[in-house]
Amino acid sequence: MPSDVLRDSFYRTLHDFSILVGHLQRTKSGLLQVEIDKNNLNLPEYKETYCDVHFDKLKAAGFDSTALPDHAETAGPIMLENANGVIKLVNIHVHRLKDNSGVAIFASIVHAVVDEAGFSTFMKRWSTICKLMASDGLLASIPKQSISNNRADIGECLPKSRTLPGSRLDTLRVQGGVLSRWIARMSPQLRGKLFSALGGLFASADSHYFISRQMLNQFRSTIDEFIPEKQQISDNDIIMTLLSIVTARSLGTPQAQCPTGKRIARARSAVGRMLGKPPKLFGTIIAVSMRPRCQQLVDSGYCGNAVVPLAVSSLLSELQTPVTPDLLAKVAVKIRNEVDAVDADYIGQVVDLVNQVPDYYLRPMLYNTQYTKTAFATNLSSMGWYEIDFGGGAPEWVSFKEGSFASAAVILPAPPSLDGYMVHMMVPKKLDKYFRKSRLWTSNAELVR
């Protein structure tokens, strides 16, 4: 892929994503919006460099970005202003590897503007235009594609009258305070500086695991007799079940305690029940896409944020009991049923909550929630990452930059040569060590790096 074609096709792609040349602004209520000034476009940062790292060396390192020169990417996980005080909505850094052995592309688009599906759409569009321009250079040959960033598209999917918010939404309501409202009203630049400074206080680790199709089939056969008839269990349900149980057990289990410790734990539990103290809960937090539940978003090619959070609540004590096929089945079925229950009405209630309480997403980070422990994951395996072909074939490796999350699991497709999923774990170091030693996890997931 010639440098000029790669660069020119990128800027041609921006014609279809004009919102990406706007400026991020904060409204009076604390919500973010993008304003496009034709006389002051916020053009992306696009860089291309040559580095002294061969593709074979990068592959041998498991495609760990630390094998590349420092500052290989142009943007970190937190949106920060550049030297001119501007937050670039798009940052691209193309690395030409030694001896023309390959290309590594770091691409970042501010999450406030697009979600992962929108990001994938942008990259696919860029690669398609790049191949067409390389073959004949005629812009007229570029096929039209429906692309939208109009938030009104979401409103078209939602019922005009909402039911009263139910208990399922209570898990998203965390009592706010002065601190969250103050941060919500900060400018995007100042908020980025604050989050960047705080991010350095939390040490996290990155690990990549491969979960094979064979393992998933074995897991299904293990729990099959405990699954209700006609109940469907997806691959995602299985992976989320493993993540939830292992994370919950990282706090310790009653079976691991000495006899005295068990008696103390039982006594504390009994006293708590007598005092009306609620049991400890574990929250499985899942990012659920609106698109399969809203055809309007699919038809319009909506690329903005179209995910809602779902919290699946479980008794912590139940997840810490001995691991049996029955327990695995119960957790998987519960997760499946909760995800299936996300409908247009639930989505509408979440959208209303976001619009009415701009600091709601900050509250779980700043204040106590009802959960003793949580596991957050997002499944991006169906977005066609290995279809992003700029003309040199499918990518060898697609992943998030290390440290993109403080505590999360990102489920991605495995490279085409493998049948299964890659799970990129970005969690605190103590939890990372527990996962590496957990028999339940390591018997189902192979550590890649």
Side-chain angles (χ1 to χ4, degrees), residues 29 176-177 179-181 184-185 354 357-364 367:
S29 64
L179 181 58
S180 59
R181 290 193 294 271
R185 285 172 170 75
V354 174
V357 188
D359 65 330
Y360 100 97
Y361 71 95
L362 290 166
R363 294 181 179 184
Y367 311 118

Side-chain angles (χ1 to χ4, degrees), residues 23-61:
H23 293 266
L24 200 61
Q25 304 288 342
R26 177 187 59 79
T27 66
K28 291 182 179 180
S29 64
L31 295 173
L32 293 176
Q33 65 181 21
V34 176
E35 294 185 2
I36 301 176
D37 182 352
K38 294 181 179 180
N39 297 317
N40 181 28
L41 296 179
N42 183 17
L43 295 178
E45 179 177 277
Y46 184 99
K47 296 170 58 178
E48 180 169 324
T49 58
Y50 292 82
C51 64
D52 195 31
V53 177
H54 197 279
F55 174 81
D56 293 341
K57 180 179 179 180
L58 187 59
K59 186 174 183 178

Side-chain angles (χ1 to χ4, degrees), residues 114 125 128 220 300 341:
V114 302
R125 183 67 170 167
T128 297
R220 278 194 172 84
S300 68

